[in-house]
Amino acid sequence: MRDDGPSTRIAPITLDDVEGFHAALDSVARERRFLASFEAPPLEAAQVFVEANLREGNPHFVAHEGGRIVGWCDIKRSGRPVHAHCGVMGMGVVADRRGAGIGRALLGATLAAARAAGLLRVDLDVRAANTPAIALYERMGFRHEGRKVAAYNVDGAFDDLLVMGLVWPEGAAG
Ligand SMILES: CC(C)(COP(=O)(O)OP(=O)(O)OC[C@H]1O[C@@H](n2cnc3c(N)ncnc32)[C@H](O)[C@@H]1OP(=O)(O)O)[C@@H](O)C(=O)NCCC(=O)NCCS
């Protein structure tokens, strides 16, 4: 990772990380520009989410700096039998730590774990205006699969939703 800042450790999430994960998620959500929610769900819901990921073996990594969690990336496997090879990805890095290689490291670790867990396809939605995220996803192998026009409305400003997906060769239709 390129960075002259504090040392960053990327690791699978544990139950000790729930509060830090929740705080990071909340700070990014409150920026209003990136995620589908404007605040994190209650702490208890974050706890349930993390417990489920641990129980189900869904890849979920966090970035630690000192005592702070500065980013996360998770891939939740679909519960439906016909989509059980697919997972939905979500991620974020807190505003003051962007551009330091943390997002790339988080996504790389999470994708590797997803592949090792047998997932064949990763889905994501991203706002069309979110240039840094789209560049990262393209760089990591995601392809553009569609666009939902004016799917977002944030304080009266509309944006399109881009559908992106990554399919590993084992999952490509013959
Ligand atoms: C998207 C996000 C996770 C990237 O994390 P990051 O730690 O800032 O990114 P990195 O420093 O690891 O950069 C990785 C790649 O992202 C792209 N990128 C990062 N910042 C960029 C910027 N300002 N402009 C264009 N591309 C950018 C580049 O491709 C970069 O690779 P490169 O430096 O080799 O060219 C981060 O910007 C973020 O949390 N944004 C807000 C939340 C969000 O958008 N979540 C995803 C919702 S779909």
Side-chain angles (χ1 to χ4, degrees):
M1 255 173 20
R2 65 184 189 282
D3 191 17
D4 296 317
S7 78
T8 310
R9 182 172 61 91
I10 307 292
I13 198 165
T14 71
L15 291 179
D16 290 340
D17 301 326
V18 170
E19 271 186 45
F21 160 61
H22 181 260
L25 173 62
D26 195 53
S27 76
V28 176
R30 286 177 189 277
E31 292 181 72
R32 303 175 75 86
R33 296 168 49 208
F34 305 113
L35 304 185
S37 308
F38 295 148
E39 60 183 333
L43 182 59
E44 300 70 39
Q47 172 93 21
V48 168
F49 179 69
V50 173
E51 285 173 354
N53 281 341
L54 292 172
R55 191 174 57 247
E56 295 166 18
N58 291 326
H60 189 165
F61 283 74
V62 286
H64 297 264
E65 287 185 350
R68 183 185 183 206
I69 286 179
V70 296
W72 77 92
C73 184
D74 59 82
I75 298 176
K76 184 169 171 45
R77 188 190 282 267
S78 171
R80 295 176 185 267
V82 293
H83 298 308
H85 61 294
C86 307
V88 176
M89 198 281 288
M91 71 179 302
V93 173
V94 296
D96 62 302
R97 294 298 295 133
R98 290 183 192 143
I102 297 170
R104 176 197 286 267
L106 276 168
L107 183 54
T110 310
L111 289 175
R115 196 168 186 180
L119 282 175
L120 298 177
R121 180 186 159 86
V122 181
D123 292 278
L124 66 85
D125 294 344
V126 60
R127 296 189 200 177
N130 193 350
T131 311
I134 295 165
L136 171 62
Y137 301 150
E138 288 172 345
R139 195 173 269 267
M140 299 298 280
F142 284 82
R143 298 232 173 117
H144 290 268
E145 297 186 330
R147 173 183 287 260
K148 296 184 183 178
V149 176
Y152 294 106
N153 176 3
V154 181
D155 306 324
F158 291 88
D159 196 3
D160 296 350
L161 178 157
L162 303 188
V163 178
M164 299 184 76
L166 183 156
V167 182
W168 284 302
E170 311 89 280

